[in-house]
Each structure stands twice: as structure tokens, then as C-alpha cells.
Amino acid sequence: MLRYTLMRLGIFVGCLVVVWGAVYSGIAPRGLGDSNGLWVVLLALLISAPISFVVLRKERDRASVQVAQRVDRMKATMDANRSQEDVADDTARAQGQTS
């Protein structure tokens, strides 16, 4: 997941540099008043999102599999703990009834 996040951040930073250069060279329009920084960031986000979606498809699928495996392991651990608690509770109740 960290690798995917860093790759996505890298694509965003690359787009930010390109958009910043385009805005300050006059190729892309400037924002209104003091909103130029916000304009550059929003435009970079808008451009980097579809690029990330297409370019990082394999990495996103790999990260998804890893997350799903981790969730499955956590569920199995929780089920095992729950069954141990049930056995301990049943044993305690049985001992309480026989006394």
C-alpha cells in the first residue's frame, strides 16, 4: 500500500510541476486574484487522477490483494479467539452447574 501511495504521490507531484510551469509560462490560464496556488493544485489533481487510474492499475490490484489477505487473516484470528472464549465460557458454566 505504501508503494502505491508513493507512486500516486509522485504522479501528482509531476503533474503539479508541469501545471505550475504551464501556468507561469502563460500556456494555461492563471487563477483569479490570489487563487492561483489553489488553481494550480486543483488542476494538477484533476490531471493526475486519471493518469494514476490508468498507469497504476496493476499496482492497485496488487495492493488490493494484499489488503484482502490481511483482512482474511484478521477475520480468521478473530474467529479463533471467539471460539476459544466460547469454549472457556461453556466450561465455566458447566462447572458452575455441577457445583
Side-chain angles (χ1 to χ4, degrees), residues 78-92:
M78 288 176 61
D79 288 341
N81 289 341
R82 188 176 300 123
S83 67
Q84 287 176 352
E85 289 174 1
D86 290 343
V87 169
D89 187 44
D90 291 343
T91 304

Side-chain angles (χ1 to χ4, degrees), residues 63-74:
S64 174
V65 167
Q66 289 176 351
V67 168
Q69 289 172 348
R70 184 175 294 158
V71 167
D72 290 342
R73 283 194 311 262
M74 290 176 65

Side-chain angles (χ1 to χ4, degrees), residues 16-88:
L16 185 66
V17 169
V18 169
V19 168
W20 180 82
V23 167
Y24 282 99
S25 67
I27 296 172
R30 294 182 184 264
L32 298 174
D34 293 335
S35 69
N36 197 40
L38 182 62
W39 167 252
V40 169
V41 170
L42 289 176
L43 194 55
L45 279 171
L46 186 67
I47 293 171
S48 69
I51 292 172
S52 295
F53 184 75
V54 172
V55 172
L56 299 179
R57 177 171 287 141
K58 289 181 183 177
E59 190 63 36
R60 186 175 53 251
D61 291 342
R62 190 177 305 131
S64 174
V65 167
Q66 289 176 351
V67 168
Q69 289 172 348
R70 184 175 294 158
V71 167
D72 290 342
R73 283 194 311 262
M74 290 176 65
K75 284 182 181 180
T77 302
M78 288 176 61
D79 288 341
N81 289 341
R82 188 176 300 123
S83 67
Q84 287 176 352
E85 289 174 1
D86 290 343
V87 169

Side-chain angles (χ1 to χ4, degrees), residues 91-99:
T91 304
R93 287 180 190 212
Q95 289 176 354
Q97 289 177 356
T98 58
S99 300

